[in-house]
Amino acid sequence: MNFQNTPEFAQQLDDQDSLKHLRDEFIIPQHRGKDAIYLCGNSLGLQPKAAADSIAAQMQNWASKGVEGWFDGGDPWLAYQQQLKGTLGGLLGAGEKEITIMNSLTVNLHLLMVSFYQPNNKRYKILMEAGAFPSDQYAIESQVRFHGFEPDDAIIEIFPREGEYTLRTEDIIKTINDNASELALVLFAGINYYTGQFFDMPAITKAAHAVGVYAGFDLAHAAGNVPLQLHNWDVDFACWCSYKYMNSGPGGISGIFVHEKHFGNNKLNRFAGWWGNNKATQFKMAKGFDPEPGADGWQVSTAPILLMAAHKAALGVFGKSAGIDRLREKSLLLTPYLEFLINGINERKGGELFRIITPAEASARGCQLSIICKQNGKAMFNYLSEHGVIGDWREPDVIRLSPVPLYNTFMDVYRTGKLLSEAADQLF
Ligand SMILES: *Cc1c(COP(=O)(O)O)cnc(C)c1O
């Protein structure tokens, strides 16, 4: 599309946007009495208007039924998560039996490594992207140590080439092949939180499988952001959080994917709990864990219904969007529009004040742009904040901005570009 740097153009795109009604499903934070420009959905998605009522309904269930709420009424808690799986499966490209909703993300990463990282003396290494989210790094280090290995030896991190910011798929595949005989697991983000790079998940999975290794993904920044096909890509396992692009509330509930082909695999260890037991016999309280078939067999603890109620409301908004593919179409205009405006500032100023390190190809990114400010980065960021743009700042010099198709407008993006342009005039 031929973008234009005018408010009329942005307004026209908003008028033509067939998803524009979805913004009204969210509560927009306020800045000096007006809607803030919220570009931080990569960190915490906005609150759906329906969330409070959804939680209140379960509070009411609890009030009126007490313990009977587990079994009783239109929404028995025992089966509560089952009603969320259809929409979630659509976002992830997963069958309902392949997903289960539970715990928090890092906890789930640990539980999945218990199953899928079973090193021996020959094959014990984990391959991951360098600069992964710290929680993932800590989880992986501690898993490696738990098995008696040293992180420096057992973790292979892939770095970008000299002078580059993101990884080339060919380099990832080569590293997998070069380390084939020692690898036990390939564990990547779907989208790296810092650079916004969307990795070629099918290619990574295929390369891992070609050397006989499982491939797993942390989809914290991918779920609800880009269309995924976990089942068809033959991904072994994945986990995500629901509070970023899935708008399910601070510390909201996480979930896991386990590919159907592993359902009968009893070589996979697991740390079990009663909630993962065969539903038919769970309340017999008998000795001997008998897992529920499917991903639900990885459940550990009693379902946190209030968190799931927020998740249900948030997924309901996705249900109204006619699907992730339609959202992605809008995203593929919103994010390039921001990129166009930023590049325009560089051109106007005759130098690269801003370097966008997120890949330019649509297939290699989602909503987010990560922007290195060559000078005065913090002051730039503060200028945005003072003028009502909520983005996020990463030391030493990166601003991350994520226009989200569910609730951001082209006018949000236009205004952000204008503010960045003003800041550039003041600070350079
Ligand atoms: C946001 C994020 C986390 C956070 O994990 P929690 O357990 O929910 O605190 C972990 N990993 C990645 C890649 C993330 O983006």
Side-chain angles (χ1 to χ4, degrees):
M1 173 169 296
N2 281 325
F3 291 121
Q4 293 169 29
N5 185 2
T6 65
E8 294 76 22
F9 178 78
Q11 188 58 53
Q12 190 190 334
L13 287 184
D14 281 330
D15 291 344
Q16 290 165 358
D17 173 14
S18 63
L19 299 176
K20 59 174 178 268
H21 59 288
L22 293 171
R23 177 179 170 87
D24 198 40
E25 302 281 333
F26 293 90
I27 302 172
I28 311 291
Q30 298 294 296
H31 175 82
R32 297 194 189 128
K34 284 207 214 118
D35 286 354
I37 298 174
Y38 194 80
L39 299 180
C40 213
N42 56 299
S43 192
L44 180 68
L46 288 183
Q47 182 179 143
K49 287 180 181 166
D53 281 351
S54 183
I55 294 169
Q58 296 316 317
M59 293 295 284
Q60 183 52 41
N61 247 353
W62 178 23
S64 62
K65 301 197 184 93
V67 71
E68 294 304 322
W70 286 108
F71 312 98
D72 201 12
D75 239 4
W77 297 328
L78 265 190
Y80 194 86
Q81 70 142 329
Q82 305 306 332
Q83 18 166 355
L84 314 191
K85 287 183 175 180
T87 309
L88 197 51
L91 296 179
L92 299 163
E96 297 195 13
K97 281 205 172 322
E98 292 175 312
I99 48 187
T100 199
I101 299 165
M102 62 177 190
N103 305 326
S104 296
L105 171 54
T106 310
V107 172
N108 284 337
L109 198 56
H110 276 296
L111 292 174
L112 286 165
M113 277 192 275
V114 165
S115 297
F116 290 95
Y117 177 56
Q118 298 195 29
N120 58 43
N121 284 337
K122 271 191 74 177
R123 302 191 77 148
Y124 62 95
K125 295 193 176 177
I126 300 181
L127 185 83
M128 65 189 293
E129 88 259 28
F133 194 87
S135 203
D136 300 46
Q137 296 184 36
Y138 308 154
I140 293 170
E141 280 169 21
S142 61
Q143 286 280 333
V144 159
R145 285 212 177 86
F146 177 71
H147 286 283
F149 300 99
E150 276 305 314
D152 282 350
D153 174 40
I155 300 173
I156 305 172
E157 291 182 302
I158 310 186
F159 287 85
R161 292 188 190 184
E162 184 79 30
E164 298 184 4
Y165 292 94
T166 51
L167 295 176
R168 299 189 192 196
T169 304
E170 62 193 278
D171 292 352
I172 300 172
I173 292 172
K174 182 169 186 304
T175 314
I176 292 173
N177 291 334
D178 288 349
N179 294 280
S181 62
E182 294 183 327
L183 277 186
L185 177 64
V186 173
L187 183 51
F188 258 70
I191 292 183
N192 179 271
Y193 82 103
Y194 191 84
T195 64
Q197 180 177 16
F198 180 19
F199 296 112
D200 188 339
M201 293 173 53
I204 293 170
T205 302
K206 196 163 161 230
H209 290 171
V211 300
V213 172
Y214 293 138
F217 293 89
D218 182 333
L219 303 175
H221 282 258
N225 178 1
V226 288
L228 298 165
Q229 285 296 333
L230 299 182
H231 178 88
N232 290 341
W233 294 343
D234 210 21
V235 164
D236 294 289
F237 67 92
C239 49
W240 53 86
C241 58
S242 66
Y243 52 80
K244 292 173 180 167
Y245 293 97
M246 286 199 285
N247 313 310
S248 302
I253 195 157
S254 167
I256 69 164
F257 164 89
V258 176
H259 198 282
E260 179 179 41
K261 68 186 176 183
H262 296 300
F263 290 175
N265 182 350
N266 48 24
K267 291 210 185 78
L268 298 178
N269 284 327
R270 51 183 119 176
F271 284 172
W274 76 316
W275 223 254
N277 198 77
N278 194 324
K279 290 293 164 209
T281 55
Q282 178 182 354
F283 291 97
K284 294 213 161 61
M285 311 299 234
K287 205 170 159 56
F289 178 67
D290 169 24
E292 171 75 5
D296 285 348
W298 268 262
Q299 289 257 338
V300 180
S301 285
T302 306
I305 296 302
L306 300 180
L307 292 182
M308 286 196 190
H311 198 24
K312 180 181 173 181
L315 289 172
V317 182
F318 280 97
K320 293 182 184 174
S321 73
I324 185 77
D325 291 327
R326 191 60 205 85
L327 287 166
R328 176 70 166 161
E329 275 175 38
K330 177 174 170 187
S331 181
L332 289 176
L333 290 175
L334 266 183
T335 296
Y337 189 40
L338 181 59
E339 182 181 40
F340 162 81
L341 295 171
I342 291 169
N343 289 338
I345 301 170
N346 286 336
E347 276 165 37
R348 185 170 66 74
K349 302 293 276 185
E352 197 181 42
L353 307 187
F354 301 106
R355 169 171 288 185
I356 299 172
I357 60 174
T358 308
E361 312 88 69
S363 62
R365 70 181 183 196
C367 297
Q368 174 182 328
L369 292 183
S370 303
I371 306 149
I372 290 184
C373 301
K374 288 298 176 71
Q375 293 169 47
N376 294 338
K378 196 64 209 282
M380 286 276 176
F381 182 73
N382 291 342
Y383 189 87
L384 291 182
S385 305
E386 282 155 22
H387 291 83
V389 177
I390 303 176
D392 105 352
W393 170 254
R394 289 287 135 185
E395 292 293 344
D397 55 7
V398 170
I399 297 176
R400 296 185 301 171
L401 299 175
S402 303
V404 170
L406 277 173
Y407 47 76
N408 284 122
T409 61
F410 290 91
M411 195 55 98
D412 283 343
V413 171
Y414 168 77
R415 291 201 179 109
T416 303
K418 188 154 181 287
L419 289 166
L420 277 172
S421 183
E422 288 168 16
D425 285 340
Q426 291 189 12
L427 295 165
F428 289 96

